[in-house]
Amino acid sequence: MKVKDLSPDLTLFNGTIYTLDAENSTAQAVAAKDGRIVASGGDEAIQAMAGPDTRQVDLGGRAVIPGIFDSHNHLMEVGAKLSTVRLDECESQEEMMELVRERAKSTPPGEWIVGQGWNEGNFADGRLPTRQDIDPATDQHPVILMRFFNTDVVNSYALRLAGITRDTPDPEAGKVERDPDGEPNGLLRASAKMLVRPLIPKSTLEQMKQHLHLACAEMHRFGITSVVEPGLYPREIHAYQSFYQDGDLTVRVNLMPSWHGFHDDEAETDLDHRASELGIYSGLGDEWLRLGALKMAIDGGTTPHTAYMHEPYEGDMELVAFNRLPLEALQRYFLSAQELGWDVGIHCCGDAAQDMAVVTFAQVARELPRSDTRHNIIHAYFPTQGSLDQMAEYNIAAVLQPTFIYWEGDLLFRDVGEERALNYKPARKYLDHGVVVTSSSDVTSTVSANPFVSLYALVTRKNKLGQLVAPQEAISREEALRTYTVAGTWLTREEHLKGSIEVGKLADMAVLDRDYFSVPDEEIKEIQVDITVVDGQVMWERE
């Protein structure tokens, strides 16, 4: 009878292993076998475990951290974006249009040209693009260019296809922007996006799987080994399962089915049935693919002035609510989820939206207690004292996006003013109140999934221009890294599985090109990943 080889599949040695265990201990080396951590400690002891088939990696003094857990990451959209015109680095409207012209040369007439990721904050003049910018680039293709969040701009061809004219009314919770003469200028805000987006052909199953392949590779570059993927249609969940069954999934994914307030073109009864008819609920799955919370949404965001606030935006005379669900139905929705065993993650950017969601969560918890709910507020921009208190009391997590602090923190002052900006994504305040805080990128609604830009923002509270954004809300490097590793596992009930480098846990790790805990603050955002390990296998290595 053949004796099973007990030697590790992989050892990492001659480095600093930051385990993030309860004692925040460090080690020189770590060993993995069959996808799990089997030992950590000194170099001599770990190297002695190696067998002839063990892959041994000399770290050369480099640092190792647990794999990054991005707790709000539109992974499939990342892959789709990699297949479209990339606009996130454009610094002018003309630069965007040059990319459209190039794509038009290789696109058959009549087919859609889709671009994603533009941000007027990157333009010297700060002007929003319009159809007048796009039309000269092509009159042979419908074009839609998606802002990094909540606004699209389309050309005249696309407006004609959608039947949008000067007589088209603004949809509820949306706005068709217009020229002074009343003609649509191509900008579509909030729910108005849905006047055009349904015209774009849906991706096939094979295309969605190819998107996932591209997206997983992109995450490996950043040491991201787990994500929560929010707001999915059933057909997208089907693509995930097919991709997983093919053996191609190399990032661990927690799926959040879309529910009320997320997709505007689905009937309320269909959404109710989605949560109830299958007889499943949060937690089903394994360490690769698991069902998480239901994804809901109340409002929009601050830069397009669609977040539901208590007071008007700077420069506005009145507050317009662009709410994505009937607020009077919120308690019924939450009660239904509570009864069925689902957790809920709800998009709330405005302080009024967050207050309403937290109060309703608390009411439901009192009326129908469940011992182990993992409800959470996604974005959680501006908590009031009441929200802080009730989130702590009822164990409601805050899912933050420090990427927003960095990439659009300069726009915040324009939109909400200095005073309200002091309460923006207040990580220090949340942690001091005992609220679980997780960090995420929210790609594709931001420039990049790079977690080290996010960690820099959490530690320094600086935006891309070097301006301080609520500096009193800075947290320590350890606290910041825990929001990107250990804390995410609370959302998904996987504390026992991952988030730290401990014996018995999944062997997901990132080898860094410099030490996160010792580099100067300004270098944190420059850190790169040299090696990403998933399931005890080297999944990616920087050349």
Side-chain angles (χ1 to χ4, degrees):
M1 184 178 71
K2 187 176 179 179
V3 177
K4 182 179 179 181
D5 182 8
L6 298 179
S7 60
D9 301 316
L10 175 73
T11 61
L12 306 178
F13 66 93
N14 188 26
T16 304
I17 316 294
Y18 292 103
T19 68
L20 293 193
D21 62 10
E23 292 75 37
N24 203 34
S25 62
T26 60
Q28 292 178 307
V30 62
K33 184 172 181 61
D34 296 334
R36 301 276 178 152
I37 303 293
V38 293
S40 66
D43 285 336
E44 186 176 346
I46 299 301
Q47 286 183 276
M49 298 173 64
D53 296 324
T54 301
R55 178 168 181 178
Q56 301 183 66
V57 177
D58 185 345
L59 296 170
R62 289 174 293 182
V64 179
I65 61 172
I68 296 292
F69 191 157
D70 189 331
S71 58
H72 192 82
N73 178 313
H74 298 274
L75 190 67
M76 190 176 287
E77 288 184 10
V78 170
K81 182 177 180 177
L82 291 170
S83 305
T84 66
V85 181
R86 295 284 303 272
L87 305 173
D88 37 23
E89 295 184 3
C90 290
E91 296 182 351
S92 68
Q93 298 87 350
E94 180 53 36
E95 192 175 336
M96 291 170 56
M97 300 318 142
E98 185 57 36
L99 294 175
V100 172
R101 289 187 193 96
E102 285 300 312
R103 182 59 64 95
K105 292 176 183 177
S106 60
T107 302
E111 290 191 11
W112 280 87
I113 294 175
V114 179
Q116 295 189 54
W118 62 270
N119 176 4
E120 74 279 9
N122 293 335
F123 305 160
D125 60 7
R127 180 178 65 82
L128 296 168
T130 67
R131 64 180 171 85
Q132 286 88 348
D133 293 297
I134 310 175
D135 287 350
T138 177
D139 60 1
Q140 300 296 306
H141 308 85
V143 179
I144 181 168
L145 306 179
M146 303 174 183
R147 187 178 180 275
F148 70 92
F149 179 67
N150 217 33
T151 299
D152 294 345
V153 59
V154 302
N155 66 348
S156 296
Y157 193 137
L159 289 172
R160 289 194 300 272
L161 281 181
I164 300 173
T165 69
R166 64 187 303 130
D167 299 319
T168 301
D170 289 340
E172 185 178 354
K175 186 174 180 61
V176 178
E177 295 285 358
R178 304 172 194 275
D179 290 326
D181 63 1
E183 291 292 332
N185 70 6
L187 281 165
L188 305 171
R189 295 187 185 271
S191 66
K193 297 181 301 182
M194 301 310 295
L195 298 174
V196 171
R197 286 196 180 192
L199 301 178
I200 303 169
K202 288 183 170 64
S203 298
T204 65
L205 174 62
E206 289 307 313
Q207 285 172 330
M208 286 188 285
K209 289 161 70 172
Q210 177 61 20
H211 294 163
L212 288 174
H213 176 76
L214 292 171
C216 287
E218 179 76 356
M219 294 308 107
H220 295 154
R221 292 198 307 116
F222 297 120
I224 296 169
T225 58
S226 294
V227 304
V228 174
E229 159 79 278
L232 294 166
Y233 280 116
R235 63 190 300 271
E236 293 167 328
I237 295 174
H238 175 86
Y240 262 110
Q241 183 171 347
S242 179
F243 191 65
Y244 164 63
Q245 289 179 334
D246 290 345
D248 293 331
L249 190 60
T250 57
V251 171
R252 304 184 194 280
V253 181
N254 199 274
L255 305 171
M256 294 182 74
S258 64
W259 210 38
H260 295 283
F262 189 66
H263 291 299
D264 301 308
D265 57 344
E266 293 188 278
E268 184 175 57
T269 52
D270 292 337
L271 291 165
D272 283 340
H273 291 162
R274 179 171 302 164
S276 62
E277 288 192 338
L278 295 179
I280 57 178
Y281 50 89
S282 297
L284 179 69
D286 65 11
E287 64 265 23
W288 283 105
L289 194 65
R290 191 182 301 271
L291 270 180
L294 296 169
K295 167 69 187 296
M296 299 181 67
I298 287 183
D299 60 353
T302 53
T303 43
H305 290 198
T306 52
Y308 184 35
M309 304 290 288
H310 284 300
E311 301 292 337
Y313 291 91
E314 294 293 296
D316 291 354
M317 298 301 295
E318 60 179 359
L319 183 70
V320 179
F322 289 92
N323 292 332
R324 297 156 74 178
L325 53 73
L327 298 180
E328 65 277 6
L330 193 59
Q331 185 168 12
R332 178 172 68 82
Y333 297 154
F334 282 3
L335 272 171
S336 178
Q338 191 87 338
E339 289 173 337
L340 293 167
W342 288 99
D343 298 325
V344 170
I346 186 162
H347 170 123
C348 300
C349 288
D351 48 11
Q354 185 166 345
D355 274 351
M356 178 157 288
V358 171
V359 165
T360 308
F361 273 139
Q363 290 172 342
V364 168
R366 290 191 293 269
E367 184 173 338
L368 190 66
R370 264 176 46 204
S371 61
D372 191 33
T373 55
R374 306 289 171 106
H375 302 317
N376 55 91
I377 303 294
I378 298 167
H379 304 307
Y381 281 11
F382 306 107
T384 62
Q385 187 61 49
S387 279
L388 287 166
D389 292 341
Q390 291 187 95
M391 288 174 75
E393 182 176 356
Y394 293 99
N395 227 18
I396 302 165
V399 180
L400 304 185
Q401 295 72 42
T403 44
F404 293 7
I405 298 171
Y406 185 79
W407 292 112
E408 56 182 298
D410 54 318
L411 302 177
L412 183 69
F413 303 105
R414 176 199 71 184
D415 297 323
V416 302
E418 297 280 348
E419 185 176 347
R420 283 185 287 184
L422 286 172
N423 194 38
Y424 182 62
K425 294 191 178 291
R428 176 79 275 147
K429 195 178 295 181
Y430 278 125
L431 290 175
D432 288 348
H433 274 77
V435 175
V436 173
V437 174
T438 78
S439 285
S440 63
S441 63
D442 197 15
V443 284
T444 57
S445 294
T446 192
V447 173
S448 168
N450 188 341
F452 300 100
V453 167
S454 288
L455 291 165
Y456 170 81
L458 285 171
V459 170
T460 69
R461 299 295 300 199
K462 289 182 181 179
N463 64 26
K464 67 181 188 290
L465 301 178
Q467 299 168 309
L468 289 170
V469 181
Q472 79 285 356
E473 296 301 334
I475 59 178
S476 73
R477 296 191 195 200
E478 181 191 338
E479 288 171 324
L481 187 56
R482 285 182 179 276
T483 70
Y484 248 125
T485 51
V486 180
T489 67
W490 181 88
L491 286 179
T492 58
R493 294 182 170 81
E494 294 175 301
E495 302 100 314
H496 63 294
L497 270 180
K498 57 188 179 183
S500 58
I501 300 174
E502 298 183 76
V503 172
K505 288 193 173 182
L506 297 169
D508 299 347
M509 297 169 282
V511 179
L512 311 182
D513 72 339
R514 65 200 85 179
D515 193 321
Y516 165 74
F517 283 100
S518 64
V519 296
D521 283 355
E522 292 301 316
E523 272 194 47
I524 294 174
K525 64 182 182 300
E526 310 299 334
I527 292 172
Q528 296 189 61
V529 172
D530 282 345
I531 299 172
T532 298
V533 175
V534 186
D535 211 45
Q537 304 295 316
V538 173
M539 201 63 66
W540 181 85
E541 194 164 1
R542 188 157 64 101
E543 296 179 358

